Amino acid sequence: KAGVTQTPRYLIKTRGQQVTLSCSPISGHRSVSWYQQTPGQGLQFLFEYFSETQRNKGNFPGRFSGRQFSNSRSEMNVSTLELGDSALYLCASSPDSRGTVPEAFFGQGTRLTVV
Amino acid sequence: ILNVEQSPQSLHVQEGDSTNFTCSFPSSNFYALHWYRWETAKSPEALFVMTLNGDEKKKGRISATLNTKEGYSYLYIKGSQPEDSATYLCAINLNDYKLSFGAGTTVTVRA
């Protein structure tokens, strides 16, 4: 069974540009979450999607957005990039099994550098 | 936002020695605690999911305990090996799919 796949692995963008990151979850998983890790910080929750709907949202500005497609693949978009957006962005997928603890399976991440 | 704290931030262990470190979290509204191992250039790997007070889980030489009443969990590594070198992350969720992570404990095992 393939794991969570994130593309691209590395990305360099200029301030003011926008960027789109992609995440393909484990087959059968319908929940996809996004996290940001910056130097010295723990993983910060961005948002979570289930059945094409945003179900949870973290404390990030509106420049950060996402969406989920009918096949559960998800994209994350950051507009008007700032230097502080340089980070590792991790995607995690979870099976949505009622009554069980939601376990998250992570991809390897996309390393975004804003210059 | 949950305040999840891990200590120490980093530690060095001699090969063969045992070690342990802590994750602290607010005990109210607790649902589940997750431990992950994160090696450089790899994905965070799930080690344990724990929900009940007094839970103890074991995977090889690694084990974890959970105290939900006082809000802490310990992770133990017995007989550390170089391959145990990684950052160990603790995360809490509140009956939803949002994980609140601690900053991690980075373990370096010296041969």
Side-chain angles (χ1 to χ4, degrees):
Chain A
K1 203 173 191 181
V4 178
T5 304
Q6 291 188 246
T7 56
R9 292 289 312 279
Y10 303 92
L11 205 49
I12 299 175
K13 288 286 188 178
T14 305
R15 269 182 302 176
Q17 286 187 311
Q18 75 164 17
V19 67
T20 299
L21 312 182
S22 180
C23 173
S24 293
I26 292 172
S27 178
H29 287 192
R30 296 194 295 167
S31 168
V32 174
S33 301
W34 289 89
Y35 293 83
Q36 181 199 62
Q37 188 194 40
T38 50
Q41 296 278 330
L43 290 169
Q44 303 291 317
F45 174 79
L46 281 152
F47 28 64
E48 183 244 346
Y49 286 87
F50 175 77
S51 288
E52 302 177 64
T53 301
Q54 188 181 88
R55 195 160 59 170
N56 288 289
K57 189 177 187 305
N59 297 323
F60 278 81
R63 299 184 299 105
F64 291 81
S65 63
R67 59 178 175 168
Q68 187 180 34
F69 302 94
S70 58
N71 61 358
S72 294
R73 190 177 71 85
S74 178
E75 287 182 347
M76 188 191 106
N77 185 77
V78 188
S79 62
T80 320
L81 283 164
E82 300 176 0
L83 295 179
D85 297 332
S86 295
L88 179 69
Y89 291 88
L90 284 170
C91 165
S93 75
S94 300
D96 186 47
S97 303
R98 296 290 176 199
T100 63
V101 176
E103 293 188 64
F105 298 84
F106 284 87
Q108 287 188 277
T110 294
R111 172 75 63 186
L112 171 66
T113 302
V114 182
V115 297
Chain B
I1 298 176
L2 291 178
N3 188 25
V4 180
E5 296 186 356
Q6 292 188 246
S7 64
Q9 186 176 4
S10 64
L11 59 91
H12 291 77
V13 190
Q14 197 66 35
E15 183 177 358
D17 286 351
S18 297
T19 188
N20 65 83
F21 37 93
T22 310
C23 173
S24 302
F25 53 90
S27 55
S28 58
N29 298 320
F30 170 86
Y31 185 67
L33 180 143
H34 305 247
W35 280 104
Y36 287 87
R37 174 169 59 201
W38 196 2
E39 297 178 67
T40 305
K42 294 187 177 180
S43 313
E45 173 200 357
L47 288 173
F48 306 114
V49 180
M50 308 169 79
T51 57
L52 299 176
N53 185 45
D55 249 355
E56 290 187 28
K57 295 271 178 113
K58 188 175 180 184
K59 185 176 183 178
R61 293 178 292 97
I62 300 177
S63 60
T65 60
L66 177 65
N67 183 323
T68 60
K69 293 181 192 272
E70 295 180 39
Y72 65 84
S73 174
Y74 290 125
L75 191 85
Y76 300 89
I77 304 176
K78 183 179 177 183
S80 303
Q81 299 297 310
E83 59 264 31
D84 296 328
S85 295
T87 296
Y88 291 82
L89 297 174
C90 165
I92 304 295
N93 66 287
L94 302 178
N95 198 21
D96 58 22
Y97 287 78
K98 170 181 155 181
L99 289 171
S100 295
F101 281 87
T105 293
T106 299
V107 175
T108 304
V109 181
R110 296 178 291 216

